[in-house]
């Protein structure tokens, strides 16, 4: 891996920077967190702008509307968009970060041509229907039934924690198609249209006050067999490909965002006064922040290695679990530190005077979910033990 920047990389950076400088001031204000139709419009509108300017799917092949660019350009894109405070991928997360990449790796040519350009243009929003009430960590025990009836599967059951379900057009859905087979062998991965009759979506409110995810109920909802990705009953293997992307490369922009948050924490510590000193005058606190920054730098190096491996093989490996567990725990420690800097200020979700404190309080609440979503830290550690370190199976 050679991550030094060439002249053409620097040209790409300069062009992107100037495009961002022109386009960001023209964006409408961000919608309220609970206004989901407006959030969908905002996020898909941004995706369309990226697409029209040739910045959607930086590493996706040009035949599917991507830029077909190098790994280094992808990293530059992430660095520059985060640095400029550009919108995040938002409701396009599942489509752009793991459903699309899974389709690219596993689906038929017809399925790729149908979905991938639409995902990049912001015309298809996706959600993920994997978890069930009794099947989160033990996902392979899932019981949502997909009974074969000619050229259709009849889907009955319940999914939970389905992020963006209320605004999604499609769902990457795991169904049990052979109840007699061992649990890993009877699962199928299908592309499920969210406007199918027989489904009901019930949003769940979180501690942050928004409904990022929902319960989804299926009552004999029919999906064509032609929507299957991979073979019937081979869905567990396809799901592992999805997880490779979700845990491996899906978090990269969050990582850049965390790096930015650490810089903002320094600014916050300089602002917050304690009698005659500022929080920043506390040497132990400065050391703690420096430690977090050093860990962040190491994690960024590991991420580059992981991305480089993914670019070579087409699919990220279990190294993604290392990044996921390290990143999510580092993020929680950073937001904990923010609460200690704010002291009593952390009891309010509103900004206090000039301090941008509300944002840090919200991040602290939100960060609780980071070590659960996309597989808990305990499950990631099991994967690291078994698949990277070669320790005996659980
Ligand atoms: C913000 C957020 C968004 C999400 N979005 C989606 C989504 O879009 N689609 C989707 O399908 N799911 C989604 N999820 C669900 C997520 O994948 C599950 O919450 C997660 O896999 C854990 O499953 P669970 O909640 O059932 O917990 P459980 O599996 O019940 O785990 C409970 C506790 O037991 C521990 N545990 C369980 N088994 C083991 C073991 N073998 N060894 C050691 N410890 C163990 C866990 O680590 C955890 O601490 C989301 C979750 C969150 C928080």
């Amino acid at each position: 891996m050679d991550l030094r920047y060439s002249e053409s990389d620097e040209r790409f950076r300069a062009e992107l920077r100037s495009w961002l400088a022109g386009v960001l001031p023209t964006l409408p204000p961000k919608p309220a967190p609970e206004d989901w139709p407006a959030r969908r419009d905002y996020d898909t509108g941004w995706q369309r702008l990226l697409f029209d300017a040739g910045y959607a799917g930086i590493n996706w092949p040009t035949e599917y509307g991507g830029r077909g660019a190098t790994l280094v350009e992808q990293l530059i894109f992430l660095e520059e968009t985060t640095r400029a405070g550009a919108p995040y991928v938002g409701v396009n997360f599942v489509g752009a970060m793991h459903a699309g990449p899974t389709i690219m790796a596993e689906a038929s040519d017809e399925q790729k041509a149908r979905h991938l350009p639409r995902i990049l243009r912001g015309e298809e929003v996706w959600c993920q229907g994997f978890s069930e009430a009794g099947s989160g960590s033990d996902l392979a025990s899932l019981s949502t039934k997909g009974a074969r009836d000619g050229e259709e599967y009849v889907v009955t059951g319940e999914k939970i924690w389905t992020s963006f379900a209320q605004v999604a057009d499609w769902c990457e859905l795991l169904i049990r198609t052979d109840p007699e087979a061992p649990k890993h062998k009877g699962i199928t991965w299908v592309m499920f249209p969210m406007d199918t009759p027989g489904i009901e979506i019930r949003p769940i409110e979180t501690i942050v006050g928004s409904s990022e995810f929902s319960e989804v109920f299926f009552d004999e909802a029919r999906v064509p067999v032609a929507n299957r990705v991979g073979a019937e009953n081979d869905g567990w293997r396809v799901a592992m490909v999805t997880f490779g992307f979700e845990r491996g490369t899906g978090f990269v922009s969050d990582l850049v965002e965390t790096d930015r948050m650490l810089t903002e924490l320094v600014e916050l510590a300089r602002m917050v006064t304690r009698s005659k000193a500022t929080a920043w005058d506390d040497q132990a606190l400065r050391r703690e922040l420096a430690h977090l920054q050093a860990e962040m730098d190491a994690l960024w190096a590991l991420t580059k290695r992981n991305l480089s491996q993914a670019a070579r093989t087409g699919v990220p490996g279990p190294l993604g679990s290392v990044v996921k567990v390290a990143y999510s725990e580092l993020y929680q420690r950073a937001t904990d530190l923010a609460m200690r800097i704010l002291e009593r200020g952390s009891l309010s979700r509103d900004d206090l005077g000039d301090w941008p404190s509300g944002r840090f309080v919200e991040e602290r609440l939100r960060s609780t979910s980071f070590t659960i979503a996309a597989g808990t830290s305990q499950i990631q550690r099991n994967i690291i033990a078994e698949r990277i370190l070669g320790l005996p199976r659980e």
Side-chain angles (χ1 to χ4, degrees):
M1 171 175 60
D2 181 357
L3 287 170
R4 279 169 300 184
Y5 299 121
S6 65
E7 259 178 47
S8 82
D9 292 334
E10 291 302 352
R11 252 197 321 277
F12 172 71
R13 187 189 294 279
E15 277 166 24
L16 175 59
R17 218 176 251 195
S18 110
W19 181 76
L20 286 168
V23 82
L24 292 182
T26 68
L27 294 183
K30 272 196 181 158
E34 258 321 275
D35 190 346
W36 281 96
R39 278 180 71 170
R40 182 189 156 118
D41 285 351
Y42 184 86
D43 294 340
T44 54
W46 171 243
Q47 184 65 33
R48 181 70 205 209
L49 279 175
L50 287 175
F51 180 84
D52 289 342
Y55 294 123
I58 296 284
N59 64 331
W60 288 29
T62 46
E63 59 182 307
Y64 304 125
R67 192 178 174 93
T70 63
L71 165 71
V72 179
E73 280 169 312
Q74 192 191 349
L75 290 172
I76 292 173
F77 174 81
L78 288 169
E79 284 171 1
E80 289 301 318
T81 45
T82 310
R83 191 193 59 80
Y88 184 51
V89 66
V91 304
N92 300 304
F93 181 82
V94 175
M97 299 303 197
H98 52 91
T102 305
I103 291 169
M104 212 176 320
E106 295 289 335
S108 67
D109 288 343
E110 204 184 327
Q111 290 169 327
K112 290 183 202 177
R114 162 75 180 77
H115 293 285
L116 295 176
R118 287 183 171 87
I119 290 173
L120 284 191
R121 286 197 299 261
E123 292 164 4
E124 274 186 9
V125 171
W126 282 67
C127 64
Q128 180 188 46
F130 280 19
S131 305
E132 298 177 8
S135 308
S137 301
D138 183 17
L139 183 62
S141 69
L142 64 89
S143 60
T144 293
K145 204 166 62 180
R148 180 92 185 234
D149 180 19
E151 283 313 296
E152 289 179 323
Y153 295 112
V154 184
V155 181
T156 303
E158 297 170 23
K159 296 287 173 179
I160 193 166
W161 318 125
T162 313
S163 306
F164 314 122
Q166 65 271 59
V167 288
D169 306 300
W170 290 86
C171 179
E172 47 175 14
L173 183 68
L174 294 181
I175 49 177
R176 183 155 302 280
T177 38
D178 184 353
E180 306 303 325
K183 64 180 184 178
H184 293 90
K185 307 269 183 205
I187 294 170
T188 299
W189 198 108
V190 289
M191 304 184 292
F192 187 93
M194 291 298 281
D195 59 358
T196 305
I199 76 166
E200 189 192 342
I201 298 167
R202 293 189 203 153
I204 302 171
E205 193 170 325
T206 70
I207 193 170
V208 190
S210 73
S211 322
E212 300 276 306
F213 40 41
S214 300
E215 290 175 285
V216 183
F217 297 85
F218 299 82
D219 182 12
E220 300 196 344
R222 289 175 171 266
V223 59
V225 168
N227 285 23
R228 191 177 73 208
V229 171
E232 189 167 281
N233 300 323
D234 194 26
W236 185 253
R237 187 190 59 76
V238 183
M240 291 307 106
V241 172
T242 310
F243 279 145
F245 290 111
E246 184 178 5
R247 295 167 181 167
T249 43
F251 284 96
V252 176
S253 7
D254 287 347
L255 221 63
V256 187
E257 188 70 44
T258 307
D259 199 31
R260 189 167 68 176
M261 190 177 84
L262 290 178
T263 311
E264 288 168 8
L265 265 184
V266 173
E267 287 160 20
L268 183 73
R270 287 194 165 120
M271 264 182 213
V272 173
T273 45
R274 292 171 177 166
S275 37
K276 285 189 185 137
T278 65
W280 184 245
D281 292 319
D282 177 349
Q283 198 182 17
L285 186 134
R286 290 204 304 273
R287 192 178 303 122
E288 204 174 332
L289 259 169
H291 204 282
L292 285 173
Q293 185 63 57
E295 282 183 59
M296 181 70 220
D297 290 350
L299 199 52
W300 188 231
L302 190 68
T303 300
K304 284 175 177 170
R305 184 178 154 202
N306 199 23
L307 280 179
S308 162
Q309 188 183 52
R312 248 184 299 120
T313 60
V315 180
L319 200 58
S321 288
V322 178
V323 176
K324 202 267 166 178
V325 79
Y327 155 70
S328 51
E329 294 184 2
L330 186 147
Y331 191 81
Q332 285 180 349
R333 278 185 287 133
T335 54
D336 269 343
L337 181 60
M339 297 306 94
R340 277 187 282 125
I341 292 173
L342 287 170
E343 294 184 331
R344 279 181 303 162
S346 65
L347 295 173
S348 167
R349 284 190 56 188
D350 295 326
D351 286 346
L352 299 170
D354 295 339
W355 303 353
S357 51
R359 175 247 157 134
F360 287 104
V361 175
E362 181 163 335
E363 289 295 317
R364 172 63 192 84
L365 293 173
R366 218 166 61 84
S367 73
T368 311
S369 69
F370 282 33
T371 45
I372 304 172
T376 66
S377 285
Q378 289 78 12
I379 294 304
Q380 306 302 337
R381 285 190 166 89
N382 281 350
I383 294 170
I384 294 164
E386 292 170 11
R387 291 178 54 198
I388 301 180
L389 302 176
L391 295 175
R393 292 188 68 78
E394 195 192 355

